[in-house]
Coordinates of all heavy atoms in Angstrom, one line a residue:
M166 N 8.4 -18.7 -2.6 CA 7.1 -18.0 -2.9 C 7.0 -17.8 -4.4 O 8.0 -17.6 -5.1 CB 7.2 -16.6 -2.2 CG 6.1 -15.7 -2.8 SD 6.1 -14.0 -2.1 CE 5.2 -14.3 -0.6
K167 N 5.8 -18.0 -4.9 CA 5.5 -17.8 -6.3 C 5.7 -16.4 -6.7 O 5.1 -15.5 -6.0 CB 4.1 -18.3 -6.6 CG 3.8 -18.5 -8.0 CD 2.4 -19.1 -8.2 CE 2.0 -19.0 -9.6 NZ 0.6 -19.0 -9.9
R168 N 6.4 -16.1 -7.7 CA 6.6 -14.7 -8.2 C 5.4 -14.3 -8.9 O 4.7 -15.1 -9.6 CB 7.8 -14.7 -9.1 CG 9.1 -15.0 -8.4 CD 10.2 -14.9 -9.4 NE 10.6 -13.6 -9.7 CZ 11.5 -12.9 -9.1 NH1 12.1 -13.5 -8.1 NH2 11.8 -11.7 -9.4
R169 N 5.0 -13.0 -8.8 CA 3.9 -12.5 -9.6 C 4.3 -11.3 -10.3 O 5.3 -10.6 -9.9 CB 2.7 -12.3 -8.7 CG 2.6 -10.9 -8.0 CD 1.3 -10.8 -7.3 NE 1.4 -9.8 -6.3 CZ 1.1 -8.5 -6.4 NH1 0.6 -8.1 -7.6 NH2 1.2 -7.7 -5.4
I170 N 3.7 -11.0 -11.4 CA 4.1 -9.8 -12.2 C 3.5 -8.6 -11.5 O 2.4 -8.6 -11.1 CB 3.5 -10.0 -13.6 CG1 4.0 -11.3 -14.2 CG2 3.8 -8.7 -14.5 CD1 4.4 -11.4 -15.6
T171 N 4.4 -7.6 -11.3 CA 4.0 -6.4 -10.7 C 3.8 -5.3 -11.7 O 4.1 -5.6 -12.9 CB 5.0 -6.0 -9.6 OG1 6.2 -5.6 -10.3 CG2 5.3 -7.0 -8.6
S172 N 3.4 -4.1 -11.3 CA 3.3 -3.0 -12.2 C 4.6 -2.7 -13.0 O 4.5 -2.3 -14.1 CB 2.9 -1.8 -11.4 OG 3.7 -1.6 -10.3
H173 N 5.7 -3.1 -12.4 CA 7.0 -2.7 -13.0 C 7.8 -4.0 -13.4 O 8.9 -4.0 -13.6 CB 7.8 -1.9 -12.1 CG 7.3 -1.8 -10.7 ND1 6.5 -0.8 -10.2 CD2 7.4 -2.7 -9.7 CE1 6.2 -1.1 -9.0 NE2 6.7 -2.2 -8.6
G174 N 7.1 -5.1 -13.4 CA 7.7 -6.4 -13.8 C 8.4 -7.0 -12.6 O 7.9 -8.1 -12.1
E175 N 9.4 -6.4 -12.0 CA 10.1 -7.0 -10.9 C 10.7 -5.8 -10.1 O 10.8 -4.8 -10.6 CB 11.3 -7.8 -11.4 CG 10.9 -9.0 -12.1 CD 12.0 -10.0 -12.5 OE1 12.8 -10.2 -11.6 OE2 12.1 -10.4 -13.6
P176 N 11.0 -6.0 -8.8 CA 10.8 -7.2 -8.0 C 9.4 -7.3 -7.5 O 8.6 -6.4 -7.7 CB 11.8 -6.9 -6.8 CG 11.8 -5.4 -6.7 CD 11.6 -4.9 -8.1
G177 N 9.1 -8.4 -6.9 CA 7.7 -8.6 -6.4 C 7.7 -8.8 -4.9 O 8.7 -8.7 -4.3
P178 N 6.5 -8.9 -4.4 CA 6.4 -9.0 -2.9 C 7.1 -10.2 -2.4 O 7.1 -11.3 -3.0 CB 4.9 -9.2 -2.7 CG 4.2 -9.0 -4.0 CD 5.2 -9.0 -5.1
G179 N 7.9 -10.0 -1.3 CA 8.6 -11.1 -0.7 C 10.0 -11.3 -1.2 O 10.7 -12.1 -0.7
D180 N 10.4 -10.6 -2.3 CA 11.7 -10.8 -2.8 C 12.8 -10.4 -1.9 O 13.9 -10.9 -1.9 CB 11.9 -10.1 -4.2 CG 11.1 -10.8 -5.3 OD1 10.6 -11.9 -5.1 OD2 11.1 -10.2 -6.4
A181 N 12.4 -9.5 -1.0 CA 13.4 -9.0 0.0 C 13.0 -9.6 1.4 O 13.5 -9.1 2.4 CB 13.5 -7.5 0.0
G182 N 12.2 -10.6 1.5 CA 11.8 -11.1 2.7 C 10.6 -10.4 3.2 O 10.0 -9.6 2.5
K183 N 10.1 -10.7 4.5 CA 9.0 -10.1 5.0 C 9.3 -8.7 5.6 O 9.6 -8.5 6.7 CB 8.4 -10.9 6.1 CG 7.7 -12.2 5.5 CD 6.8 -12.9 6.5 CE 6.2 -14.0 5.7 NZ 5.2 -14.8 6.6
T184 N 9.4 -7.7 4.7 CA 9.9 -6.4 5.0 C 8.9 -5.6 5.8 O 9.3 -4.5 6.2 CB 10.2 -5.6 3.7 OG1 9.1 -5.8 2.8 CG2 11.4 -6.1 3.0
G185 N 7.7 -6.1 6.1 CA 6.8 -5.4 7.0 C 7.4 -5.1 8.3 O 7.0 -4.0 8.9
S186 N 8.3 -5.9 8.8 CA 8.8 -5.6 10.1 C 9.8 -4.4 10.1 O 10.2 -4.0 11.2 CB 9.6 -6.9 10.6 OG 10.6 -7.2 9.7
W187 N 10.2 -3.9 9.0 CA 11.1 -2.8 8.9 C 10.3 -1.5 9.1 O 10.9 -0.4 9.4 CB 11.7 -2.6 7.5 CG 12.5 -3.7 7.0 CD1 12.8 -4.9 7.6 CD2 13.1 -3.8 5.7 NE1 13.6 -5.7 6.8 CE2 13.8 -5.0 5.6 CE3 13.2 -2.9 4.6 CZ2 14.5 -5.4 4.5 CZ3 13.9 -3.3 3.5 CH2 14.6 -4.5 3.5
R188 N 9.0 -1.6 9.0 CA 8.2 -0.4 8.9 C 8.1 0.5 10.2 O 7.9 -0.1 11.3 CB 6.8 -0.8 8.5 CG 5.9 0.2 7.8 CD 4.6 -0.4 7.3 NE 3.9 -1.1 8.3 CZ 3.6 -2.4 8.2 NH1 3.9 -3.1 7.1 NH2 3.0 -3.1 9.1
V189 N 8.3 1.8 10.0 CA 8.1 2.7 11.1 C 6.8 3.4 11.0 O 6.1 3.8 11.9 CB 9.3 3.7 11.1 CG1 9.1 4.8 12.2 CG2 10.6 3.0 11.3
L190 N 6.4 3.7 9.7 CA 5.1 4.3 9.4 C 4.3 3.4 8.5 O 4.8 2.7 7.6 CB 5.4 5.6 8.6 CG 6.2 6.7 9.3 CD1 6.5 7.9 8.3 CD2 5.4 7.3 10.5
R191 N 3.0 3.4 8.8 CA 2.1 2.4 8.1 C 1.1 3.3 7.2 O 0.5 4.2 7.7 CB 1.2 1.6 9.1 CG 0.3 0.6 8.4 CD -0.6 -0.1 9.4 NE 0.1 -0.8 10.5 CZ -0.4 -1.8 11.2 NH1 -1.7 -2.1 11.0 NH2 0.2 -2.4 12.1
P192 N 1.1 2.9 5.9 CA 0.2 3.6 5.0 C -1.3 3.2 5.2 O -1.5 2.0 5.2 CB 0.7 3.3 3.6 CG 1.3 2.0 3.7 CD 1.9 1.9 5.2
I193 N -2.2 4.1 5.4 CA -3.6 3.8 5.6 C -4.4 4.5 4.5 O -4.2 5.7 4.3 CB -4.1 4.2 7.0 CG1 -3.3 3.6 8.1 CG2 -5.6 4.0 7.1 CD1 -3.6 2.1 8.3
I194 N -5.2 3.7 3.8 CA -6.0 4.3 2.7 C -7.3 4.7 3.2 O -8.0 3.9 3.9 CB -6.2 3.3 1.5 CG1 -4.8 2.8 1.0 CG2 -7.0 3.9 0.4 CD1 -4.9 1.7 -0.1
D195 N -7.7 6.0 2.9 CA -9.0 6.5 3.3 C -9.9 6.2 2.1 O -9.8 6.9 1.0 CB -8.9 8.0 3.6 CG -10.3 8.6 4.0 OD1 -11.3 7.9 3.8 OD2 -10.3 9.7 4.5
Y196 N -10.8 5.3 2.2 CA -11.6 4.9 1.0 C -12.7 6.0 0.7 O -13.3 5.9 -0.3 CB -12.2 3.5 1.2 CG -11.2 2.4 1.2 CD1 -11.0 1.6 2.4 CD2 -10.4 2.2 0.1 CE1 -10.0 0.7 2.4 CE2 -9.4 1.2 0.1 CZ -9.2 0.5 1.2 OH -8.2 -0.5 1.3
N197 N -12.9 6.9 1.6 CA -13.8 8.0 1.3 C -13.1 9.0 0.3 O -13.8 9.8 -0.3 CB -14.2 8.7 2.6 CG -15.0 7.8 3.5 OD1 -15.9 7.2 3.0 ND2 -14.7 7.8 4.7
K198 N -11.8 8.9 0.2 CA -11.0 9.8 -0.7 C -10.5 9.1 -1.9 O -10.3 9.7 -2.9 CB -9.9 10.5 0.1 CG -10.3 11.4 1.2 CD -9.0 12.0 1.8 CE -9.3 12.9 3.0 NZ -8.1 13.3 3.7
C199 N -10.3 7.8 -1.8 CA -9.7 7.0 -2.9 C -10.6 7.0 -4.1 O -11.8 6.5 -3.9 CB -9.4 5.6 -2.3 SG -8.9 4.5 -3.6
A200 N -10.1 7.4 -5.2 CA -11.0 7.5 -6.4 C -11.7 6.2 -6.8 O -12.9 6.2 -7.0 CB -10.2 8.0 -7.6
P201 N -11.0 5.1 -7.0 CA -11.7 3.9 -7.4 C -12.8 3.4 -6.4 O -13.8 2.9 -6.7 CB -10.6 2.8 -7.6 CG -9.4 3.4 -7.0 CD -9.6 4.8 -7.0
A202 N -12.4 3.6 -5.1 CA -13.4 3.2 -4.0 C -14.6 4.1 -4.1 O -15.7 3.6 -3.9 CB -12.7 3.2 -2.7
K203 N -14.4 5.4 -4.3 CA -15.5 6.4 -4.3 C -16.4 6.2 -5.5 O -17.6 6.2 -5.4 CB -14.9 7.8 -4.3 CG -14.8 8.4 -2.9 CD -14.1 9.8 -3.0 CE -14.7 10.8 -3.8 NZ -14.0 12.1 -3.8
K204 N -15.8 5.9 -6.6 CA -16.5 5.9 -7.9 C -16.9 4.5 -8.3 O -17.6 4.3 -9.3 CB -15.8 6.6 -9.0 CG -15.5 8.0 -8.6 CD -15.1 8.9 -9.8 CE -15.1 10.3 -9.3 NZ -14.6 11.3 -10.2
N205 N -16.4 3.5 -7.6 CA -16.6 2.1 -7.9 C -16.2 1.8 -9.3 O -16.9 1.1 -10.1 CB -18.1 1.7 -7.6 CG -18.3 0.2 -7.5 OD1 -17.3 -0.5 -7.2 ND2 -19.4 -0.3 -7.9
K206 N -15.1 2.4 -9.7 CA -14.6 2.2 -11.1 C -13.1 1.9 -11.0 O -12.4 2.4 -10.2 CB -14.8 3.5 -11.9 CG -16.2 3.6 -12.4 CD -16.2 4.8 -13.4 CE -17.6 5.0 -13.9 NZ -17.9 6.3 -14.4
K207 N -12.6 1.1 -12.0 CA -11.1 0.9 -12.1 C -10.4 2.1 -12.7 O -10.4 2.2 -13.9 CB -10.9 -0.4 -12.9 CG -11.3 -1.7 -12.2 CD -10.6 -2.9 -12.6 CE -10.7 -4.0 -11.6 NZ -9.7 -5.0 -11.6
L208 N -10.0 3.0 -11.8 CA -9.2 4.1 -12.3 C -8.1 4.5 -11.3 O -8.1 3.9 -10.2 CB -10.2 5.3 -12.6 CG -11.3 5.6 -11.5 CD1 -10.8 6.4 -10.4 CD2 -12.4 6.3 -12.2
C209 N -7.3 5.4 -11.7 CA -6.2 5.9 -10.9 C -5.1 4.8 -10.7 O -4.3 4.5 -11.5 CB -6.6 6.4 -9.6 SG -5.3 7.2 -8.6
F210 N -5.1 4.1 -9.5 CA -4.2 3.1 -9.2 C -2.7 3.5 -9.3 O -1.8 2.7 -9.5 CB -4.4 1.8 -10.0 CG -5.7 1.1 -9.8 CD1 -6.6 0.9 -10.8 CD2 -6.1 0.8 -8.5 CE1 -7.8 0.3 -10.6 CE2 -7.4 0.2 -8.3 CZ -8.2 0.0 -9.4
L211 N -2.5 4.8 -9.0 CA -1.1 5.3 -9.0 C -0.3 4.7 -7.9 O 0.9 4.4 -8.0 CB -1.0 6.8 -9.0 CG -1.5 7.5 -10.3 CD1 -1.4 9.0 -10.1 CD2 -0.6 7.1 -11.4
C212 N -1.0 4.4 -6.8 CA -0.3 3.8 -5.6 C 0.2 2.4 -6.1 O 1.3 2.0 -5.8 CB -1.2 3.7 -4.4 SG -2.8 2.9 -4.8
W213 N -0.6 1.7 -6.8 CA -0.2 0.3 -7.3 C 1.0 0.5 -8.2 O 1.9 -0.3 -8.2 CB -1.4 -0.3 -8.0 CG -1.1 -1.5 -8.8 CD1 -1.0 -2.8 -8.4 CD2 -0.9 -1.5 -10.2 NE1 -0.7 -3.6 -9.4 CE2 -0.6 -2.9 -10.6 CE3 -0.8 -0.5 -11.2 CZ2 -0.3 -3.2 -11.9 CZ3 -0.5 -0.9 -12.5 CH2 -0.3 -2.3 -12.8
L214 N 0.9 1.5 -9.1 CA 1.9 1.7 -10.1 C 3.3 2.0 -9.5 O 4.3 1.5 -9.9 CB 1.5 2.8 -11.1 CG 2.4 3.1 -12.2 CD1 2.5 1.9 -13.2 CD2 2.0 4.3 -13.0
Y215 N 3.3 2.9 -8.5 CA 4.5 3.4 -7.9 C 5.1 2.6 -6.8 O 6.3 2.7 -6.4 CB 4.4 4.8 -7.5 CG 4.4 5.8 -8.7 CD1 3.2 6.4 -9.2 CD2 5.6 6.1 -9.4 CE1 3.2 7.2 -10.3 CE2 5.6 6.9 -10.4 CZ 4.4 7.5 -10.9 OH 4.4 8.3 -12.0
C216 N 4.3 1.8 -6.1 CA 4.8 1.0 -5.0 C 6.0 0.2 -5.4 O 5.9 -0.7 -6.3 CB 3.7 0.1 -4.4 SG 4.4 -1.0 -3.1
P217 N 7.2 0.4 -4.9 CA 8.4 -0.3 -5.4 C 8.4 -1.8 -5.1 O 9.1 -2.5 -5.7 CB 9.5 0.4 -4.6 CG 8.9 1.0 -3.5 CD 7.5 1.4 -3.8
D218 N 7.5 -2.2 -4.2 CA 7.5 -3.6 -3.8 C 6.3 -4.4 -4.3 O 6.1 -5.5 -4.0 CB 7.6 -3.8 -2.3 CG 8.9 -3.4 -1.8 OD1 9.9 -3.7 -2.4 OD2 9.1 -2.7 -0.7
G219 N 5.4 -3.7 -5.0 CA 4.3 -4.3 -5.6 C 3.3 -5.0 -4.6 O 2.8 -6.0 -4.8
V220 N 3.1 -4.2 -3.5 CA 2.3 -4.8 -2.4 C 0.9 -4.2 -2.3 O 0.2 -4.5 -1.4 CB 3.0 -4.7 -1.0 CG1 4.3 -5.5 -1.1 CG2 3.2 -3.3 -0.6
I221 N 0.5 -3.4 -3.3 CA -0.8 -2.8 -3.4 C -1.6 -3.5 -4.5 O -1.1 -3.7 -5.6 CB -0.8 -1.3 -3.6 CG1 0.1 -0.6 -2.5 CG2 -2.2 -0.7 -3.5 CD1 0.2 0.9 -2.6
T222 N -2.8 -3.9 -4.2 CA -3.6 -4.6 -5.2 C -4.3 -3.5 -6.2 O -4.6 -2.4 -5.7 CB -4.7 -5.4 -4.6 OG1 -5.6 -4.6 -3.8 CG2 -4.2 -6.5 -3.7
K223 N -4.5 -3.9 -7.4 CA -5.2 -3.1 -8.4 C -6.7 -3.4 -8.4 O -7.2 -4.0 -9.3 CB -4.6 -3.3 -9.8 CG -4.9 -2.2 -10.8 CD -4.2 -2.5 -12.1 CE -4.4 -1.4 -13.1 NZ -3.9 -1.7 -14.4
T224 N -7.3 -3.2 -7.2 CA -8.7 -3.6 -7.0 C -9.5 -2.5 -6.5 O -9.0 -1.5 -6.0 CB -8.7 -4.8 -6.0 OG1 -8.0 -4.4 -4.8 CG2 -8.1 -6.1 -6.5
I225 N -10.8 -2.6 -6.6 CA -11.7 -1.7 -5.9 C -12.2 -2.4 -4.6 O -12.8 -3.4 -4.7 CB -13.0 -1.4 -6.8 CG1 -12.6 -1.0 -8.2 CG2 -13.9 -0.5 -6.1 CD1 -13.8 -1.0 -9.1
E226 N -11.7 -2.1 -3.6 CA -10.8 -1.0 -3.1 C -9.3 -1.5 -3.2 O -9.2 -2.7 -2.9 CB -11.1 -0.6 -1.7 CG -12.6 -0.3 -1.5 CD -13.2 -0.5 -0.1 OE1 -12.8 -1.4 0.7 OE2 -14.1 0.3 0.2
P227 N -8.3 -0.6 -3.4 CA -7.0 -1.1 -3.3 C -6.6 -1.6 -1.9 O -7.1 -1.0 -1.0 CB -6.2 0.1 -3.7 CG -7.1 1.1 -4.2 CD -8.5 0.8 -3.7
A228 N -5.8 -2.6 -1.8 CA -5.5 -3.1 -0.5 C -3.9 -3.2 -0.4 O -3.3 -3.5 -1.4 CB -6.1 -4.5 -0.2
I229 N -3.4 -3.0 0.8 CA -2.0 -3.1 1.0 C -1.6 -4.3 1.8 O -2.3 -4.6 2.8 CB -1.5 -1.8 1.8 CG1 -1.8 -0.6 1.0 CG2 0.0 -1.9 2.2 CD1 -1.6 0.7 1.7
D230 N -0.6 -5.1 1.4 CA -0.2 -6.3 2.1 C 0.9 -5.8 3.1 O 2.0 -5.5 2.8 CB 0.4 -7.3 1.1 CG 0.8 -8.6 1.8 OD1 1.0 -8.6 3.0 OD2 1.0 -9.6 1.1
Y231 N 0.4 -5.7 4.4 CA 1.3 -5.2 5.4 C 2.4 -6.2 5.8 O 3.4 -5.8 6.5 CB 0.5 -4.8 6.6 CG -0.4 -3.6 6.3 CD1 -1.8 -3.7 6.3 CD2 0.2 -2.3 6.1 CE1 -2.6 -2.6 6.1 CE2 -0.6 -1.2 5.8 CZ -2.0 -1.4 5.8 OH -2.8 -0.3 5.5
E232 N 2.3 -7.4 5.4 CA 3.4 -8.3 5.7 C 4.7 -7.9 4.9 O 5.8 -8.1 5.3 CB 3.1 -9.7 5.3 CG 2.8 -10.6 6.5 CD 2.7 -12.0 6.2 OE1 3.7 -12.8 6.1 OE2 1.5 -12.4 6.0
Y233 N 4.5 -7.2 3.8 CA 5.6 -6.9 2.9 C 5.8 -5.4 2.7 O 6.8 -5.0 2.2 CB 5.5 -7.6 1.5 CG 5.5 -9.1 1.7 CD1 4.3 -9.8 1.6 CD2 6.6 -9.8 2.0 CE1 4.3 -11.2 1.7 CE2 6.6 -11.2 2.1 CZ 5.4 -11.8 2.0 OH 5.4 -13.2 2.2
C234 N 4.8 -4.6 3.0 CA 5.0 -3.1 2.9 C 6.0 -2.7 3.9 O 5.9 -2.9 5.1 CB 3.6 -2.5 3.2 SG 3.8 -0.7 3.6
K235 N 7.0 -1.9 3.4 CA 8.1 -1.5 4.2 C 7.9 -0.1 4.7 O 8.8 0.5 5.4 CB 9.5 -1.7 3.6 CG 9.6 -0.9 2.3 CD 11.0 -1.2 1.6 CE 11.2 -0.4 0.4 NZ 11.4 -1.3 -0.8
G236 N 6.8 0.6 4.3 CA 6.5 1.9 4.9 C 7.3 3.0 4.3 O 7.5 4.1 4.9
C237 N 7.7 2.9 3.0 CA 8.5 3.9 2.4 C 7.7 5.2 2.1 O 8.3 6.3 2.0 CB 9.1 3.4 1.0 SG 7.8 3.1 -0.2
G238 N 6.4 5.2 2.0 CA 5.6 6.4 1.8 C 5.5 6.9 0.4 O 4.8 7.9 0.2
I239 N 6.0 6.1 -0.6 CA 5.9 6.6 -2.0 C 4.4 6.6 -2.4 O 4.0 7.5 -3.1 CB 6.7 5.7 -2.9 CG1 8.2 5.9 -2.6 CG2 6.4 5.9 -4.4 CD1 9.2 4.9 -3.3
C240 N 3.7 5.6 -2.0 CA 2.2 5.6 -2.4 C 1.5 6.8 -1.9 O 0.7 7.4 -2.6 CB 1.6 4.3 -1.8 SG 1.8 4.1 0.0
A241 N 1.8 7.2 -0.7 CA 1.2 8.4 -0.1 C 1.6 9.7 -0.9 O 0.8 10.6 -1.1 CB 1.5 8.6 1.4
E242 N 2.9 9.7 -1.3 CA 3.4 10.9 -2.0 C 2.7 11.0 -3.4 O 2.4 12.0 -3.9 CB 4.9 10.7 -2.3 CG 5.8 11.0 -1.1 CD 5.8 12.5 -0.7 OE1 5.8 13.3 -1.6 OE2 5.7 12.8 0.5
E243 N 2.5 9.8 -4.0 CA 2.0 9.8 -5.4 C 0.5 9.9 -5.5 O -0.1 10.2 -6.6 CB 2.5 8.5 -6.1 CG 4.0 8.5 -6.3 CD 4.5 9.6 -7.2 OE1 3.8 10.1 -8.0 OE2 5.7 9.9 -7.0
C244 N -0.2 9.6 -4.4 CA -1.7 9.6 -4.5 C -2.2 11.0 -4.8 O -2.1 11.9 -4.0 CB -2.3 9.1 -3.2 SG -4.1 9.2 -3.1
P245 N -2.9 11.2 -5.9 CA -3.4 12.5 -6.3 C -4.6 13.0 -5.4 O -4.9 14.2 -5.4 CB -3.9 12.4 -7.7 CG -4.1 10.9 -7.9 CD -3.3 10.2 -6.9
S246 N -5.2 12.1 -4.7 CA -6.4 12.4 -3.9 C -6.0 12.6 -2.4 O -6.9 12.8 -1.6 CB -7.4 11.3 -4.0 OG -7.8 11.1 -5.3
K247 N -4.7 12.4 -2.1 CA -4.3 12.5 -0.7 C -5.1 11.5 0.2 O -5.5 11.9 1.3 CB -4.4 13.9 -0.2 CG -3.6 15.0 -1.0 CD -2.1 14.9 -0.7 CE -1.3 15.7 -1.7 NZ -0.1 15.1 -2.2
A248 N -5.3 10.3 -0.4 CA -6.1 9.4 0.3 C -5.3 8.4 1.2 O -5.8 7.6 1.9 CB -6.9 8.5 -0.7
I249 N -3.9 8.6 1.1 CA -3.1 7.7 1.9 C -2.3 8.5 3.0 O -1.6 9.4 2.6 CB -2.1 6.9 1.0 CG1 -2.9 6.1 -0.1 CG2 -1.3 5.9 1.9 CD1 -2.0 5.3 -1.0
E250 N -2.5 8.1 4.2 CA -1.9 8.8 5.3 C -0.8 7.8 5.9 O -1.1 6.6 6.1 CB -2.9 9.2 6.4 CG -2.3 10.1 7.4 CD -3.4 10.6 8.4 OE1 -4.6 10.3 8.2 OE2 -3.0 11.3 9.3
M251 N 0.3 8.3 6.2 CA 1.4 7.5 6.9 C 1.2 7.7 8.4 O 1.4 8.8 8.9 CB 2.8 7.9 6.4 CG 3.0 7.8 4.9 SD 2.7 6.1 4.2 CE 4.1 5.2 5.0
I252 N 0.9 6.6 9.1 CA 0.6 6.7 10.5 C 1.8 6.0 11.3 O 2.2 4.9 10.8 CB -0.7 6.0 10.9 CG1 -1.8 6.5 10.0 CG2 -1.1 6.1 12.4 CD1 -2.6 7.7 10.4
E253 N 2.2 6.5 12.4 CA 3.2 5.9 13.2 C 2.8 4.5 13.6 O 1.7 4.2 14.0 CB 3.4 6.7 14.5 CG 4.1 8.0 14.4 CD 5.6 7.9 14.5 OE1 6.1 6.8 14.8 OE2 6.2 8.9 14.2
E254 N 3.7 3.5 13.3 CA 3.4 2.1 13.6 C 3.2 1.9 15.0 O 2.4 1.0 15.4 CB 4.7 1.3 13.1 CG 4.4 -0.2 12.9 CD 3.3 -0.5 11.8 OE1 3.3 0.1 10.8 OE2 2.6 -1.4 12.1
S255 N 3.8 2.7 15.9 CA 3.6 2.5 17.3 C 2.1 2.6 17.8 O 1.7 2.0 18.7 CB 4.5 3.4 18.1 OG 4.1 4.7 17.8
V256 N 1.3 3.4 17.0 CA -0.1 3.6 17.3 C -0.8 2.2 17.2 O -1.6 1.9 18.0 CB -0.7 4.6 16.3 CG1 -2.2 4.7 16.4 CG2 -0.1 6.0 16.5
F257 N -0.5 1.5 16.2 CA -1.1 0.2 16.0 C -0.6 -0.8 16.9 O -1.3 -1.7 17.4 CB -0.9 -0.3 14.5 CG -1.5 0.7 13.5 CD1 -0.7 1.6 12.9 CD2 -2.8 0.7 13.2 CE1 -1.2 2.6 12.0 CE2 -3.4 1.6 12.4 CZ -2.5 2.5 11.8
F258 N 0.7 -0.7 17.2 CA 1.4 -1.7 18.1 C 0.7 -1.6 19.5 O 0.3 -2.6 20.1 CB 2.9 -1.4 18.2 CG 3.6 -2.3 19.2 CD1 3.8 -3.6 18.8 CD2 4.0 -1.9 20.4 CE1 4.5 -4.5 19.6 CE2 4.7 -2.8 21.2 CZ 4.9 -4.1 20.9
N259 N 0.4 -0.4 19.9 CA -0.3 -0.2 21.2 C -1.7 -0.7 21.2 O -2.1 -1.3 22.2 CB -0.2 1.3 21.6 CG 1.2 1.7 22.0 OD1 2.0 0.9 22.3 ND2 1.5 3.0 21.8
K260 N -2.4 -0.5 20.1 CA -3.8 -1.0 19.9 C -3.8 -2.5 19.9 O -4.8 -3.2 20.3 CB -4.4 -0.4 18.7 CG -5.0 1.0 18.9 CD -5.8 1.4 17.7 CE -6.1 2.8 17.8 NZ -6.4 3.4 16.5
E261 N -2.8 -3.1 19.2 CA -2.9 -4.6 18.9 C -2.4 -5.4 20.1 O -2.4 -6.6 20.2 CB -2.0 -4.9 17.7 CG -2.7 -4.5 16.4 CD -1.8 -4.3 15.2 OE1 -0.6 -4.7 15.3 OE2 -2.3 -3.9 14.2
K262 N -1.8 -4.7 21.1 CA -1.3 -5.4 22.3 C -2.3 -6.1 23.1 O -3.4 -5.6 23.2 CB -0.6 -4.4 23.2 CG 0.9 -4.4 23.1 CD 1.5 -3.5 24.2 CE 3.0 -3.6 24.1 NZ 3.6 -2.7 25.1
Ligands
LIG42 S1 -3.3 6.6 -5.7 FE1 -4.8 7.2 -4.1 S2 -6.8 7.6 -5.2 FE2 -5.4 6.4 -6.6 S3 -6.0 4.3 -6.2 FE3 -4.3 4.7 -4.8 S4 -5.2 5.4 -2.9 FE4 -6.8 5.5 -4.5
LIG43 S1 4.6 2.5 1.9 FE1 3.3 2.3 0.1 S2 4.8 2.4 -1.6 FE2 5.9 1.9 0.2 S3 6.0 -0.3 0.3 FE3 4.3 0.3 1.5 S4 2.5 0.2 0.1 FE4 4.4 0.2 -1.1

């Protein structure tokens, strides 16, 4: 996989494999609360900055790559707008069946 520069330089998505399968909780962004999505401006992006795996985009709206997100919850902890909720992965598993 091509390496990309993340908010913290390294590591980048995929460096530890497809860690999405480790996930017990899935972060879901509520774009009605997320500052850049609400204001249509490039601001905040603390989730992008703090995600240890660099799997959140610095875009309006921020997006999470679930193939590599391991569900650590740091993004939800750091979001000043409480726009990210950690939801039990089993909820999605049952819906996607
Ligand atoms: S930290 Fe929260 S408000 Fe800021 S960009 Fe991320 S989801 Fe949006
Ligand atoms: S839960 Fe959030 S901080 Fe943790 S890997 Fe996934 S997107 Fe990144």
Side-chain angles (χ1 to χ4, degrees):
M166 167 182 275
K167 193 178 169 201
R168 293 176 79 90
R169 84 174 160 95
I170 305 221
T171 65
S172 47
H173 14 261
E175 297 187 42
D180 286 355
K183 290 195 175 181
T184 46
S186 60
W187 299 0
R188 204 172 51 238
V189 176
L190 297 173
R191 183 185 300 200
I193 300 290
I194 302 174
D195 180 345
Y196 294 117
N197 293 315
K198 294 183 183 169
C199 169
K203 263 173 62 179
K204 302 198 172 172
N205 198 27
K206 280 190 182 158
K207 290 207 161 199
L208 42 85
C209 187
F210 296 123
L211 288 179
C212 52
W213 168 83
L214 182 67
Y215 283 103
C216 174
D218 290 319
V220 301
I221 305 181
T222 60
K223 196 178 184 185
T224 51
I225 306 167
E226 310 156 326
I229 297 169
D230 184 340
Y231 292 114
E232 252 188 88
Y233 299 104
C234 162
K235 60 181 183 243
C237 66
I239 291 173
C240 54
E242 284 291 317
E243 296 296 336
C244 175
S246 305
K247 303 285 172 222
I249 305 178
E250 191 177 354
M251 301 302 292
I252 310 271
E253 286 275 349
E254 197 62 38
S255 58
V256 171
F257 300 97
F258 181 71
N259 291 335
K260 277 190 191 155
E261 286 163 7
K262 257 187 178 177

